[in-house]
Amino acid sequence: MRRRTLLATAPAAAVAVRTANAASATHITLWHAMGGQLGQILQGIVDRFNKSQSDYVVDAVYKGSYPQVLTATIAAWRAGKAPSIAQVFDVGTADMLAAGPAVLDVWKLSEKTGVKIDPSHYIPAVRGYYGVKGGRMGAQPFNSSTALLWINNDAFEKAGLDPSKPPRTWPEVMEATRAIKAKKAAEIPLMTSWPTWVHFEQFSAIHDVEYASLGDGFGGWKPKLMIDSAPFEKNLQTLLTMQKEGLFQYEGRNGKPSPIFYAGRAAMTFDSSASYGQLKKSAKFKFTPAFLPYHPSIIKSPINSIIGGAAFWPMTAPHRSDAEYRAVAAFINFRSEPANDAHWAESTGYVPVTHGGSALMKKQGFYEKDPATALAVEQLTRTKPTQYSRGIRLGGMPHIRVIIEEEWERAIQNGGSAKDALAKAQSRGQAVIDRFARSIQS
């Protein structure tokens, strides 16, 4: 009985010690938008950090969608209760950089705490998107992806097409969709998720087309939007024409259309490279990822695509202690360790954001075992980023996306032209940029 009592009480004593250690540690909060399985994987990273040392504890809190996290973070800062770290999506970058004292840029965090955070650890296509002047870091890249063309192999084969030879150009895409429609190989020949991200932002990057003046907004707060130019008109008109012919089907905004492809109803779709994990889990058909197609009349050979996803932004709050800022810096460095970066990428389908993480995945043979995951990295890094392929940084970018989608949808409903739709989107979008610029100057 004596032995049983000691054995029974030992775990309780250990728990008490751990609880006491946790209580004495410095706690910080991380607000994020990773739901479901992604949230579980993120929580695993947090748990490993908490167990790796006894000084700090990160409390991760799911706050809903990307826009909801951004809105909640802004409201919390105004109330003096901002989280220690906020996960903010890519198009919120300009808003965060313009947030003044609300945000503590990563390079400033490093100076304040004395904790070295090296920007050279991150791959250029990712580092540049969240970078500020002098190559310094504004935010820490976290979940980064790019867009790909995804192919339903079964539908392709039914149409007499070879999925191992996916279409490379838009003329080839149109030829493939006509074959799919003629053979009734799929309910939907071609569809898309994330309409503006893929067909405007990624399109401008791989074609080296100017999205906005001042280096796509990197050079100042009041650029001129350029989405009514000939290349954008050609691309949107291609999609509108394909819609009328029954070759393409617009199915909604953001990632809501994705389950249609997962269910096998479409032969091809445009979607995030990070959808790979969900496809592996749920698709009842064979699938193949491919590079984004390009218009040979605009560019002879496509260049690098840009990232999507989100980054970790250190936030300020009244009376936030130096120990809390050191905890934030420690977590950022922990997250960027090659093993942790590689684990996140391998588990989710997002791309590794550090050179070390990518090198480790190669060393472990992950890309050879799962070649689809290498395609996104290859597309992101196939050329050196230009001023039009490093990303887009516009104030009010989430609102501009919605405006473009609204005008695109009106053109579908009313049979309008791409030229008219883009003229309206240009005017409305520019008004958003101008309002943002006035708010910065006031």
Side-chain angles (χ1 to χ4, degrees), residues 170-328:
W170 273 102
E172 290 176 2
V173 169
M174 294 185 75
E175 183 180 351
T177 56
R178 290 192 175 109
I180 292 162
K181 182 183 178 183
K183 295 291 181 67
K184 298 181 179 180
E187 177 187 338
I188 302 169
L190 176 67
M191 57 171 285
T192 191
S193 289
W194 309 101
T196 48
W197 182 51
V198 175
H199 301 288
F200 282 81
E201 297 158 32
Q202 297 287 355
F203 162 82
S204 69
I206 69 171
H207 290 85
D208 205 22
V209 169
E210 186 177 26
Y211 195 95
S213 66
L214 298 178
D216 281 353
F218 276 72
W221 295 120
K222 196 176 179 180
K224 180 185 177 184
L225 199 59
M226 306 291 283
I227 58 172
D228 60 348
S229 64
F232 288 104
E233 183 182 339
K234 179 180 181 63
N235 194 54
L236 181 57
Q237 192 59 57
T238 297
L239 291 162
L240 290 173
T241 300
M242 292 180 71
Q243 178 98 20
K244 289 179 181 178
E245 293 183 26
L247 305 177
F248 170 79
Q249 197 158 307
Y250 183 98
E251 290 288 348
R253 306 176 189 180
N254 301 325
K256 291 181 180 179
S258 299
I260 296 172
F261 184 74
Y262 298 160
R265 293 172 52 197
M268 290 184 285
T269 192
F270 296 96
D271 208 335
S272 169
S273 58
S275 63
Y276 180 56
Q278 186 61 46
L279 277 166
K280 281 178 57 178
K281 180 180 178 181
S282 61
K284 305 299 183 185
F285 55 90
K286 294 180 180 179
F287 58 87
T288 297
F291 290 134
L292 294 174
Y294 65 98
H295 293 276
S297 61
I298 298 176
I299 194 168
K300 291 182 179 180
S301 180
I303 62 174
N304 67 284
S305 60
I306 55 177
I307 63 166
F312 287 152
W313 291 86
M315 303 297 298
T316 65
H319 313 300
R320 183 151 287 166
S321 69
D322 289 343
E324 290 176 82
Y325 289 117
R326 286 195 296 272
V328 172

Side-chain angles (χ1 to χ4, degrees), residues 38-97:
L38 292 175
Q40 295 173 10
I41 298 169
L42 172 57
Q43 186 61 54
I45 294 173
V46 169
D47 290 342
R48 286 195 297 278
F49 171 74
N50 292 342
K51 292 176 182 177
S52 70
Q53 42 71 52
S54 58
D55 295 325
Y56 313 119
V57 173
V58 175
D59 298 311
V61 181
Y62 174 68
K63 298 294 286 187
S65 66
Y66 283 140
Q68 288 172 330
V69 173
L70 179 58
T71 300
T73 299
I74 292 171
W77 184 82
R78 288 172 178 165
K81 299 179 180 179
S84 311
I85 306 171
Q87 182 200 22
V88 177
F89 59 161
D90 54 335
V91 293
T93 300
D95 299 73
M96 296 302 285
L97 289 174

